[in-house]
Amino acid sequence: MRELPTLICMHGGPGFDHAAFKPGFAALADVAQVIFYDHRGHGRSDPRPPEEWNLDTWADDVVRLCDALGLVKPIVLGQSFGGFVAQRYLARHPAHAGKVILSSTSHHMGLERKLAAFERRGGAHARALAEDFWLRPSMQTWHAYWDGVRSLYNTRPPLDPDAGARTLIKPEILLHFVAGEKQQMQLLPGLASAQCPVLVMCGDQDPVCPPEDAQEIADALPAGLGELVTFAGVGHGAWRDDPDAAYAVLRRFITQPL
């Protein structure tokens, strides 16, 4: 019997669920208690009204979850949209976490970087689909975008081909966020409040959260607290394209003494 740190994994989206973390993150079960949950209103969580679909509420929910479970100084991992939540959590609750991991995420809309990255990965057609969705989010532009560019998010096929079928998607949350809060999102200023070690992970081939965003996130953290790890030949979610390297970095960060 030995006490392990608790790793709280916050999924991407918005509008998706935690299915993408499974079964891969079981690889960390020997060094951490791994907790997955669906953000408020998402997946298998209770439906909630649109006025609660915002970063402040989702960030505060991390504290509410920890209070309910009796967790102190968790390690909080945010993937993609979950990284937006984690950044807002750092700003609103800077003394709460023991460590934070910001994976394949951004601090702003950064549309021009996205469009340029999609064009590099998939040509002019991919750029046009991305521009149409991010500027004019609707069910029509979302389906065209997801069908047309999803394969560009990563550099290798999914390790678990059934993961997508298990995912519960609520596009109404996605469209609400992209049309609203995402357009003017600016998370860099809040990162100066961080009081714990923060690992920033990115893939150099990620089109939707480009590596330039990760560099700016790392630069915005207080001196001595931030660490940036960039994975070569990797897209969105390093453990999807280079699991051996990604889990090695996560394992080292989780187990290193504070």
Side-chain angles (χ1 to χ4, degrees):
M1 299 288 289
R2 57 194 176 90
E3 188 172 351
L4 297 175
T6 299
L7 176 66
I8 299 175
C9 297
M10 300 197 297
H11 64 80
F16 285 55
D17 67 4
H18 73 274
F21 288 123
K22 295 179 176 178
F25 270 67
L28 300 173
D30 62 321
V31 295
Q33 298 183 80
V34 186
I35 293 179
F36 311 101
Y37 76 99
D38 294 342
H39 295 289
R40 177 186 296 242
H42 291 67
R44 294 158 184 84
S45 292
D46 291 342
R48 300 300 300 167
E51 55 266 27
E52 296 180 9
W53 300 347
N54 59 76
L55 290 178
D56 286 351
T57 300
W58 288 314
D60 292 349
D61 281 343
V62 182
V63 177
R64 296 183 183 105
L65 175 67
C66 290
D67 288 347
L69 298 178
L71 303 177
V72 178
K73 294 294 182 182
I75 302 171
V76 177
L77 181 152
Q79 161 67 16
S80 193
F81 160 75
F84 307 162
V85 178
Q87 290 174 74
R88 186 59 61 83
Y89 161 75
L90 273 171
R92 290 173 68 83
H93 307 282
H96 189 264
K99 300 175 184 177
V100 169
I101 302 163
L102 302 175
S103 171
S104 298
T105 194
S106 297
H107 56 85
H108 61 166
M109 169 63 92
L111 182 60
E112 284 307 314
R113 284 180 185 170
K114 290 188 200 306
L115 298 182
F118 274 113
E119 187 167 12
R120 286 193 299 271
R121 296 274 292 136
H125 181 61
R127 180 189 177 104
L129 290 173
E131 183 173 23
D132 206 23
F133 169 64
W134 291 107
L135 286 180
R136 292 168 289 276
S138 67
M139 288 299 293
Q140 181 178 356
T141 60
W142 157 244
H143 285 302
Y145 169 83
W146 197 237
D147 291 345
V149 308
R150 174 65 187 94
S151 63
L152 304 178
Y153 271 53
N154 291 96
T155 58
R156 59 176 289 174
L159 294 172
D160 179 4
D162 297 325
R166 292 197 305 271
T167 300
L168 297 180
I169 301 178
K170 294 188 176 179
E172 64 272 20
I173 302 178
L174 171 68
L175 297 177
H176 174 89
F177 184 78
V178 171
E181 192 169 6
K182 179 66 182 286
Q183 295 294 323
Q184 303 301 322
M185 186 178 75
Q186 297 291 340
L187 298 174
L188 281 188
L191 296 177
S193 301
Q195 298 179 23
C196 66
V198 180
L199 171 64
V200 183
M201 301 172 65
C202 71
D204 68 355
Q205 299 300 311
D206 189 342
V208 71
C209 294
E212 296 91 339
D213 289 0
Q215 182 67 63
E216 289 174 353
I217 289 170
D219 291 344
L221 292 163
L225 291 183
E227 176 189 0
L228 173 63
V229 178
T230 302
F231 296 84
V234 163
H236 196 61
W239 55 83
R240 294 174 174 138
D241 292 337
D242 193 348
D244 290 343
Y247 288 123
V249 168
L250 287 167
R251 179 178 295 271
R252 187 259 306 160
F253 183 73
I254 289 168
T255 58
Q256 71 185 18
L258 290 172

